[in-house]
Amino acid sequence: MNLLKISQNVRALRIAQGMTVDQLAAKSGFSKGFISQVENFRITPSLKAVNKIAAALGTELSVLFQSETQIPEYTFGNINQGEEVTRDNSGHFGIIYNSLAYRQINRQMDPFIIEYHRASEERDFLLHDTEEFYILLEGELDFYIMDDKNCTRMKAGDTVYLRANVPHKVKLAENCNYAKALNVYSKSEN
């Protein structure tokens, strides 16, 4: 077992996915210090630990043992099996994000299934440094762009395409308690 290669592959895969050491630690169940020690070849992790790290990176254990870390040309997934992530304190607002392409390394797009539930807090306007495409799959939403006066009621099947840095927010329509959407973000220019 080439432990130096494993440590290099862990770091390379983490960076290629835009993941911080903190994020990998949280996803794998290890401390930030442990992940840092693994990446810097300071400790010898058990096979069980390496397997948990591989799973947190969304890859097979065997990939960490390869002498050349290769980015897969394709990855399969399922719309109901995304990885739940927190974006902009989404949980406080009754919003659940499920990343659909989390296994694809160095991706140029980030597709999410977003579920909306009633919550006591209302999210304020957000803007992103990426373009995004949004399609409402279920329910009804009020989609606000720029300010509270520019609102469009969206129903299942409606779409919106936003350029980067366009302020927007989404609220469940008055008589709707649940909605579901597909949102695809482009890769950040940073």
Side-chain angles (χ1 to χ4, degrees), residues 7 32-43:
S7 67
K32 177 181 176 183
F34 180 80
I35 297 297
S36 181
Q37 288 178 323
V38 168
E39 286 189 358
N40 292 299
F41 194 52
R42 300 282 184 242
I43 61 170

Side-chain angles (χ1 to χ4, degrees), residues 20-190:
T20 66
V21 172
D22 282 328
Q23 290 169 323
L24 179 55
K27 287 177 70 173
S28 65
F30 294 115
S31 69
K32 177 181 176 183
F34 180 80
I35 297 297
S36 181
Q37 288 178 323
V38 168
E39 286 189 358
N40 292 299
F41 194 52
R42 300 282 184 242
I43 61 170
T44 304
S46 68
L47 189 57
K48 185 176 179 180
V50 174
N51 192 41
K52 285 179 76 173
I53 292 169
L57 288 167
T59 192
E60 300 295 323
L61 177 64
S62 61
V63 170
L64 296 182
F65 288 91
Q66 294 175 358
S67 53
E68 293 289 324
T69 303
Q70 296 188 5
I71 297 171
E73 291 295 317
Y74 58 88
T75 52
F76 285 101
N78 185 288
I79 197 167
N80 297 314
Q81 295 175 339
E83 178 181 61
E84 189 172 327
V85 295
T86 300
R87 292 178 54 99
D88 307 310
N89 294 316
S90 54
H92 294 291
F93 308 105
I95 302 171
I96 299 170
Y97 285 86
N98 285 294
S99 175
L100 298 177
Y102 67 97
R103 288 191 170 117
Q104 183 62 38
I105 300 164
N106 270 356
R107 60 191 172 271
Q108 299 299 307
M109 299 178 291
D110 262 328
F112 290 91
I113 290 292
I114 307 173
E115 297 181 62
Y116 300 91
H117 303 268
R118 286 270 171 226
S120 58
E121 293 185 57
E122 183 179 310
R123 184 182 250 178
D124 201 5
F125 283 86
L126 296 173
L127 54 104
H128 314 289
D129 59 354
T130 63
E131 293 188 2
E132 65 183 277
F133 179 76
Y134 185 97
I135 181 169
L136 188 60
L137 302 173
E138 297 177 33
E140 289 187 21
L141 295 173
D142 291 329
F143 203 102
Y144 296 85
I145 298 177
M146 300 295 190
D147 58 39
D148 285 320
K149 296 175 186 167
N150 188 8
C151 176
T152 299
R153 172 70 49 95
M154 294 183 74
K155 296 181 180 187
D158 290 343
T159 67
V160 62
Y161 187 101
L162 296 169
R163 294 276 184 199
N165 299 311
V166 174
H168 60 282
K169 72 177 177 180
V170 176
K171 287 183 6 180
L172 283 169
E174 190 174 310
N175 295 322
C176 183
N177 291 318
Y178 174 82
K180 185 176 186 178
L182 171 66
N183 197 3
V184 181
Y185 297 94
S186 64
K187 183 175 172 117
S188 175
E189 297 295 320
N190 297 348

